[in-house]
Amino acid sequence: MSRINLNDLKARIEAADVYALAKRTPCEFAPKLSKALGRNIWLKREDLQDVFSFKIRGAANRIAGLSDAERARGVCAASAGNHAQGMAAAAAHYDTKAVIFMPITTPPIKVEAVAARGAEPRLIGDSYDEACAAALDYAKDTGAVFVHPFDEIDVIAGQGTVGKEILEQMPRQPAAIYVCTGGGGLVAGVGTWVKSLAPKTHIIAVEPEGAATLKTAMDAGKVVSLETVDSFADGVAVKTIGVNTLDIAMRVVDRNILVTNDAICAAVKDIFEATRTVVEPAGALALAGLIKDVRAGTAPDGDLVVTLSGANVNFDRIGHIVERAELGAGEEMLFAASIPEKPGAFLNFCQALGARAVTEFNYRFAPTPTAHVLVGVKTKSVDEHAAIIADMDAAGITVTDLSKDRLSKRHLRHMVGGRASSDIPEMLYRFEFPERPGALRDFLVNLDARWNISLFHYRNHGSSAGHVLCGFQVPEGRIDALEASLAKTGYPMAVETDNPAYRDFLKLAE
């Protein structure tokens, strides 16, 4: 027997006490998007809440239901941002003390927003899990009421008011509602309400490819903790789905869609052009799923609704999002071209490229028979990539499409240049570490000094995770010793020595 009674949850959504704090946000028709996709697209604008996220609904409903004695003890929570701000606002409204535990990697803008609303932020650990453990210890020691960000029934009920409003605001029942999904509170609440009144409406959960918490659990039929989580869309970067949210989702979610980070960035751009609002990556997640579904021909016929879940984006992340948006939309192609290192070869390449708009061009002379150039070109769609490759092939130029290559997009396009000595073999690794003060220093300190670093690239993207590309000179037969040493850093790593972009641009010919 299921743990959660959906009829009871529907009644809780009906009675949810959210509007002392939450706005009844509009569900807006998006004419430009609708024309581009040939479908009626509607945007549920939760980015317009005072805390710029739907999370205010669940927090408001949960704290509204506390007894006077519970409010006197105060509340606590763990969050990297949106739930924290919702809790801070709700606690201030109901005059109860709030202590919010946040990872050290939390951007200052979110920490300051929590403090500005009267809550006490405490920065602990590098991840949500560590902050959550500290919050639970605090609740046990002080008697404060711990409010989970997504797996409590009253929190889920508060989020469910989003679904209630959608059905009330739409001119007819939508064919599908695409819901951004992390811990599952929003999709569980929206799905419960919508399926009770509009059972033919598809509920489609959208997750990043690197944080498929719900899909993994649904496929397994039980809660599964992911070993690693891509933190790009930090608002949904959750390792473990909730017990309650999974139970509900198994009954109300029709399908799961996974999308790339580039597709999310493209959706951020689409939303900006439709609303002049810059949403956070998690806020654009549902639209990225809808676009993928429509282009694949698998979206149901009829009106399609997406939840714009939040707009708490750091200013220093916007440049990175813009950089990746055109690749995600198929409006830019990044490729490597091999041309003879001789006079006239460059002219031949430019003629093959034709009148196409170049977004970037990277080249450095090397004393080798073949030159490699890294090129970005404006395109109208992904379909144009094949035409560019065909034009180059006709001119005798070999091309490698790097538009989906993570190393090229994150590192290589910013560092094309010198090559290492060929005297000692080189190994290349990609690392990820928590982006907190001192993290890069700690990373370097943890590297074993006996290995000579031959390449290093790092850029701060304003994310909770830092990314480093690092090359090491390794005498023959010492690779196992090197990797044993690198494992001691404790940071996730991946070998990139065989990456074609590295081979063409950063490695001397053997």
Side-chain angles (χ1 to χ4, degrees):
M1 179 177 292
S2 298
R3 285 168 43 89
I4 306 300
N5 184 309
L6 295 188
N7 289 327
D8 173 68
L9 179 55
K10 177 178 178 290
R12 287 173 180 257
I13 295 171
E14 178 76 54
D17 188 356
V18 303
Y19 294 111
L21 285 157
K23 293 179 180 177
R24 183 181 170 88
T25 57
C27 192
E28 299 176 345
F29 181 67
K32 182 178 178 181
L33 275 170
S34 298
K35 182 178 180 181
L37 294 172
R39 307 297 299 274
N40 286 339
I41 311 299
W42 301 77
L43 310 177
K44 180 57 173 167
R45 297 290 307 278
E46 286 300 287
D47 57 295
L48 296 177
Q49 296 289 357
D50 287 343
V51 298
F52 308 105
S53 163
F54 73 93
K55 289 286 190 175
I56 187 63
R57 296 174 183 265
N61 191 50
R62 180 71 174 93
I63 296 180
L66 295 179
S67 66
D68 291 341
E70 288 173 322
R71 289 181 189 171
R73 299 202 304 267
V75 296
C76 66
S79 170
N82 291 347
H83 179 60
Q85 293 180 63
M87 285 290 296
H93 180 81
Y94 288 105
D95 195 26
T96 184
K97 178 183 177 181
V99 178
I100 311 297
F101 292 80
M102 310 176 80
I104 297 171
T105 56
T106 304
I109 189 173
K110 295 184 179 182
V111 179
E112 293 162 5
V114 168
R117 294 183 180 275
E120 177 189 345
R122 295 190 183 181
L123 303 183
I124 292 181
D126 291 330
S127 67
Y128 165 79
D129 291 330
E130 292 176 83
C132 186
L136 290 170
D137 287 343
Y138 174 83
K140 182 179 179 181
D141 293 341
T142 66
V145 177
F146 175 77
V147 179
H148 197 280
F150 52 80
D151 207 32
E152 294 190 26
I153 295 303
D154 286 336
V155 171
I156 296 169
Q159 322 302 26
T161 58
V162 172
K164 184 173 182 289
E165 290 177 13
I166 288 173
L167 292 189
E168 292 170 348
Q169 293 167 327
M170 286 292 291
R172 52 200 159 266
Q173 286 189 359
I177 301 175
Y178 295 77
V179 186
C180 56
T181 303
L186 182 61
V187 75
V190 169
T192 296
W193 183 267
V194 172
K195 284 297 184 182
S196 69
L197 297 179
K200 292 184 179 180
T201 296
H202 293 217
I203 300 297
I204 301 175
V206 186
E207 300 175 279
E209 288 183 350
T213 315
L214 177 60
K215 186 179 189 305
T216 301
M218 289 182 69
D219 288 347
K222 62 180 181 180
V223 172
V224 177
S225 291
L226 303 180
E227 291 186 7
T228 60
V229 173
D230 185 338
S231 62
F232 178 76
D234 55 340
V236 293
V238 177
K239 277 191 174 182
T240 309
I241 199 73
V243 173
N244 293 329
T245 53
L246 175 61
D247 171 58
I248 298 165
M250 294 283 284
R251 290 177 282 161
V252 302
V253 171
D254 294 285
R255 281 193 293 130
N256 303 80
I257 294 178
L258 305 183
V259 296
T260 66
N261 290 346
D262 285 351
I264 294 170
C265 291
V268 171
K269 177 185 176 185
D270 288 332
I271 292 166
F272 174 78
E273 291 180 348
T275 67
R276 295 301 185 269
T277 298
V278 180
V279 299
E280 62 188 282
L285 184 58
L287 179 60
L290 180 151
I291 292 171
K292 180 178 180 179
D293 211 21
V294 170
R295 288 178 175 168
T298 50
D301 294 331
D303 295 277
L304 306 176
V305 180
V306 298
T307 57
L308 302 193
S309 61
N312 286 302
V313 62
N314 306 327
F315 183 79
D316 53 2
R317 295 198 73 190
I318 295 173
H320 179 56
I321 292 170
V322 170
E323 183 179 278
R324 300 285 288 270
E326 292 192 336
L327 284 168
E331 295 174 357
E332 183 184 27
M333 178 184 180
L334 186 68
F335 66 90
S338 300
I339 61 176
E341 186 66 84
K342 64 180 183 181
F346 183 61
L347 175 60
N348 181 50
F349 169 78
C350 291
Q351 288 174 335
L353 194 60
R356 296 182 175 96
V358 175
T359 57
E360 65 178 284
F361 193 97
N362 299 282
Y363 162 73
R364 188 176 188 275
F365 173 80
T368 57
T370 302
H372 300 284
V373 292
L374 182 68
V375 186
V377 177
K378 284 273 190 183
T379 56
K380 295 179 180 178
S381 70
V382 176
D383 296 337
E384 194 176 342
H385 292 203
I388 291 174
I389 293 172
D391 288 346
M392 293 292 165
D393 185 62
I397 299 169
T398 301
V399 165
T400 302
D401 190 347
L402 299 175
S403 302
K404 295 183 179 180
D405 183 69
R406 175 161 34 184
L407 182 149
S408 300
K409 293 182 291 187
R410 184 174 285 159
H411 298 286
L412 183 68
R413 67 193 307 179
H414 305 288
M415 59 180 296
V416 170
R419 298 169 187 249
S421 168
S422 60
D423 296 337
I424 302 176
E426 183 181 57
M427 291 291 292
L428 192 69
Y429 297 88
R430 169 169 46 83
F431 296 89
E432 181 176 316
F433 57 85
E435 189 67 89
R436 53 173 167 74
L440 183 60
R441 178 205 61 207
D442 293 345
F443 172 79
L444 294 171
V445 167
N446 286 331
L447 291 179
D448 194 326
R450 62 181 160 148
W451 306 105
N452 185 49
I453 296 176
S454 52
L455 177 151
F456 195 90
H457 182 255
Y458 159 79
R459 289 183 77 212
N460 186 312
H461 291 128
S463 177
S464 60
H467 301 277
V468 161
L469 186 67
C470 200
F472 298 88
Q473 290 186 321
V474 189
E476 292 287 356
R478 302 297 304 281
I479 293 176
D480 288 345
L482 169 66
E483 294 192 344
S485 175
L486 296 180
K488 294 178 182 178
T489 66
Y491 299 132
M493 68 179 187
V495 181
E496 291 283 8
T497 310
D498 294 328
N499 187 291
Y502 164 66
R503 178 195 64 216
D504 288 347
F505 293 98
L506 301 172
K507 183 179 180 181
L508 281 177
E510 297 177 354

